[in-house]
Amino acid sequence: MFKTRLISGAVLTIILTGMLVFGGYVLSGMTLLLSLIAYRELMKTCKLSGYTKKQPENEGVSNALFCFSAMELIGYIGIIGYYLIMVFVDDRIYLLVALFGVLMAFMALYVLTFPKLNSRQIMMSFFNFIYGPIMLTFIYMTRCLPNGEYAVWMIFISSWICDTAAYCVGMLIGKHKLAPILSPKKSIEGAVGGVVGSALVGGLVSYFVFAPRIEMENVTLWFTIIAAVGAIISQIGDLAASGIKRNEEIKDYGKLIPGHGGVMDRFDSVIFTAPIIYFLTYLLLRG
């Protein structure tokens, strides 16, 4: 299992590096694929992908299957439409229009099929649309900002470096439980170590790689702060994803990445970190 996890992690890192270096259509296309898969995983997790309840009448099963498929289809079309607007339309106000349009589409389905779908199912479908797919778009949008080609790396430094550092520190000196019911193995010491580790790596990468290329004062300081804040948020994302899996009584969101699980298992902290890195980059690194 460790060997499988290591190999798949290395392959994922190579693919990710290529995405971030090339940016543009390569990054947007790969992120779109991740978003579509993430939506599928979340809908399956919430038992909204296909019809799973037994019905005595075939007509009832057929109607329910249509409704569930329609919810998924709205999500997929909405994700693709959102990406097209994000990549090809400069005015970001149209992204809000897209969000509103997807919400209206879900509500129209709810009204037109009532009472075959309940309000929880509609709300969860829209939540799944936002939680994974739309949050992942901030990777691409961060890359598009001034100095974004550098800041986008902080998304993964503050997520995956934090996870590694928190694990190591927690194993060595962790004594106080961070969330004893939700994640018994995580410790406060590990959480602090994760933040410190991310800030340290973010600062070092900035000092040796980014700072010489950016004509701006206090670049290393800003990147260190960005990495530290991102690390705090990433741990909230990780715990939130764990909470959803516990509520839905599943071990992993999927099996796409050997040794890691699904897209949502590997990117659970990234989807929280990406938006905060985007906003901090916009505020601190515009020059």
Side-chain angles (χ1 to χ4, degrees), residues 24-84:
Y25 295 144
V26 173
L27 179 58
S28 61
M30 290 301 297
T31 310
L32 170 60
L33 179 61
L34 291 175
S35 293
L36 292 170
I37 296 171
Y39 184 70
R40 171 69 172 173
E41 290 177 353
L42 287 167
M43 292 295 280
K44 289 180 66 176
T45 295
C46 297
K47 300 176 179 62
L48 297 175
S49 178
Y51 194 62
T52 56
K53 294 181 180 178
K54 294 181 179 179
Q55 295 287 340
E57 298 179 7
N58 290 333
E59 183 179 355
V61 174
S62 178
N63 289 337
L65 181 60
F66 167 78
C67 293
F68 276 58
S69 298
M71 282 195 300
E72 281 194 278
L73 185 61
I74 289 171
Y76 292 137
I77 293 174
I79 292 166
I80 294 171
Y82 191 93
Y83 269 84
L84 290 174

Side-chain angles (χ1 to χ4, degrees), residues 1-255:
M1 175 60 75
F2 176 76
K3 184 179 179 180
T4 301
R5 184 180 177 88
L6 184 64
I7 294 173
S8 61
V11 172
L12 184 62
T13 301
I14 293 171
I15 295 173
L16 176 67
T17 301
M19 289 167 52
L20 299 184
V21 169
F22 285 104
Y25 295 144
V26 173
L27 179 58
S28 61
M30 290 301 297
T31 310
L32 170 60
L33 179 61
L34 291 175
S35 293
L36 292 170
I37 296 171
Y39 184 70
R40 171 69 172 173
E41 290 177 353
L42 287 167
M43 292 295 280
K44 289 180 66 176
T45 295
C46 297
K47 300 176 179 62
L48 297 175
S49 178
Y51 194 62
T52 56
K53 294 181 180 178
K54 294 181 179 179
Q55 295 287 340
E57 298 179 7
N58 290 333
E59 183 179 355
V61 174
S62 178
N63 289 337
L65 181 60
F66 167 78
C67 293
F68 276 58
S69 298
M71 282 195 300
E72 281 194 278
L73 185 61
I74 289 171
Y76 292 137
I77 293 174
I79 292 166
I80 294 171
Y82 191 93
Y83 269 84
L84 290 174
I85 293 172
M86 179 181 69
V87 174
F88 295 107
V89 180
D90 292 332
D91 194 344
R92 295 301 190 197
I93 189 65
Y94 290 103
L95 293 179
L96 294 178
V97 175
L99 290 179
F100 182 76
V102 172
L103 176 59
M104 288 301 99
F106 277 124
M107 296 308 295
L109 179 66
Y110 177 54
V111 170
L112 293 174
T113 61
F114 191 86
K116 295 181 177 66
L117 294 171
N118 61 52
S119 57
R120 177 192 173 276
Q121 292 166 336
I122 294 295
M123 288 187 287
M124 285 303 300
S125 295
F126 187 66
F127 170 81
N128 291 340
F129 172 75
I130 299 291
Y131 176 51
I134 300 306
M135 301 270 271
L136 282 170
T137 64
F138 283 94
I139 298 173
Y140 174 81
M141 291 201 291
T142 299
R143 180 68 168 74
C144 294
L145 288 174
N147 297 316
E149 66 269 33
Y150 309 113
V152 70
W153 295 92
M154 293 297 113
I155 294 174
F156 298 94
I157 287 175
S158 58
S159 298
W160 294 348
I161 295 297
C162 175
D163 185 55
T164 301
Y167 175 79
C168 293
V169 173
M171 288 291 292
L172 290 173
I173 60 172
K175 293 182 180 180
H176 302 87
K177 300 297 183 182
L178 178 65
I181 298 177
L182 182 57
S183 187
K185 294 183 179 180
K186 295 186 184 298
S187 66
I188 294 175
E189 292 84 357
V192 173
V195 174
V196 173
S198 295
L200 182 61
V201 173
L204 289 173
V205 170
S206 172
Y207 183 80
F208 289 106
V209 182
F210 300 159
R213 294 172 170 80
I214 301 176
E215 295 181 1
M216 181 179 175
E217 295 183 359
N218 302 318
V219 170
T220 298
L221 174 62
W222 296 137
F223 273 113
T224 302
I225 292 173
I226 289 172
V229 174
I232 296 171
I233 301 300
S234 76
Q235 296 185 68
I236 297 175
D238 182 50
L239 290 170
S242 296
I244 292 173
K245 287 192 286 187
R246 282 183 176 271
N247 284 154
E248 300 300 328
E249 298 180 343
I250 61 170
K251 183 177 184 291
D252 295 315
Y253 285 103
K255 299 178 181 179

